[in-house]
């Protein structure tokens, strides 16, 4: 009987673990909405990007030197997750409060779009849970190349809605 109980507990634990939502699960559907997908390289302000907005490996930051090549959706997702995982490792060392999967997904979407140094700017307000200041700061990152973009306003709003979602 003890063996049967132990097996049932293990099976239950596996089922529960499979049902746990992680920031990666959330970002798998969240990021493509905001990043779009391109199987070929495109110039993105200061670098050649492709897939879901990652830098084309081996490319140089020169608008006149298109690296060529293609990427599949699966490859692009793997590149994005590798990039996000680096940001997570960096930011998780700075965050001093427990955060749920939605909060991590929102912060990592922000970091993926703007870089970990800009996400680092949010850490103090996150750690102190100063939600009013954090929301104002979060929503101030809506410019690209010195121009306010509606898509970035919408993205910051969607990220913030995800961050505060329970």
């Amino acid at each position: 009987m003890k063996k049967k109980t132990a097996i049932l507990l293990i099976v239950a634990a596996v089922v529960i673990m499979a049902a746990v939502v992680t920031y990666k699960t959330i970002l798998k559907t969240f990021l493509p909405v905001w990043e779009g997908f391109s199987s070929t390289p495109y110039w993105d302000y200061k670098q050649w990007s492709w897939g879901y907005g990652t830098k084309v490996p081996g490319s140089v930051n020169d608008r006149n030197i298109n690296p060529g090549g293609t990427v599949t959706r699966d490859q692009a997702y793997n590149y994005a997750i590798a990039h996000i995982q680096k940001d997570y490792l960096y930011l998780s060392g700075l965050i001093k409060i427990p955060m749920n999967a939605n909060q991590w997904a929102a912060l990592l979407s922000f970091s993926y779009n703007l870089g970990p140094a800009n996400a680092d700017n949010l850490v103090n307000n996150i750690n102190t849970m100063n939600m009013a200041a954090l929301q104002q700061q979060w929503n101030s990152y809506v410019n690209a190349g010195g121009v306010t973009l509606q898509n970035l306003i919408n993205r910051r709003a969607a990220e913030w809605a995800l961050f505060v979602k329970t």
Side-chain angles (χ1 to χ4, degrees):
M1 189 59 132
K2 287 183 182 181
K3 188 174 182 182
K4 193 173 189 179
T5 303
I7 291 171
L8 287 174
L9 288 173
I10 291 170
V11 169
V14 169
V15 168
I16 290 169
M17 287 174 60
V20 171
V21 176
T22 68
Y23 67 82
K24 290 178 188 176
T25 308
I26 296 165
L27 288 173
K28 189 168 190 169
T29 56
F30 190 86
L31 270 185
V33 169
W34 298 104
E35 292 294 335
F37 174 78
S38 176
S39 62
T40 58
Y42 60 92
W43 185 252
D44 188 15
Y45 296 103
K46 61 181 180 183
Q47 70 179 27
W48 286 98
S49 297
W50 65 0
Y52 297 112
T54 55
K55 183 176 181 175
V56 177
S59 64
V60 295
N61 296 342
D62 183 336
R63 185 182 195 118
N64 299 312
I65 304 174
N66 186 324
T70 61
V71 65
T72 67
R73 287 182 186 275
D74 286 342
Q75 289 170 321
Y77 177 71
N78 289 335
Y79 287 142
I81 287 299
H83 180 98
I84 288 164
Q85 190 61 28
K86 288 179 189 173
D87 288 0
Y88 174 79
L89 290 173
Y90 170 73
L91 292 166
S92 66
L94 303 175
I95 302 294
K96 304 300 180 200
I97 63 163
M99 293 205 325
N100 65 38
N102 289 334
Q103 291 169 321
W104 274 114
L107 180 60
L108 291 168
S109 172
F110 183 100
S111 181
Y112 185 79
N113 183 233
L114 296 162
N118 284 311
D120 188 334
N121 292 333
L122 304 175
V123 168
N124 185 54
N125 283 325
I126 291 171
N127 284 335
T128 60
M129 290 305 290
N130 185 342
M131 299 302 275
L134 179 59
Q135 182 179 17
Q136 182 178 17
Q137 184 182 24
W138 195 296
N139 290 323
S140 71
Y141 288 85
V142 294
N143 298 315
V147 177
T148 301
L149 299 178
Q150 187 61 49
N151 190 51
L152 291 178
I153 293 169
N154 297 344
R155 182 176 182 157
R156 295 293 92 81
E159 288 167 345
W160 182 252
L162 183 58
F163 189 87
V164 296
K165 183 179 176 183
T166 55

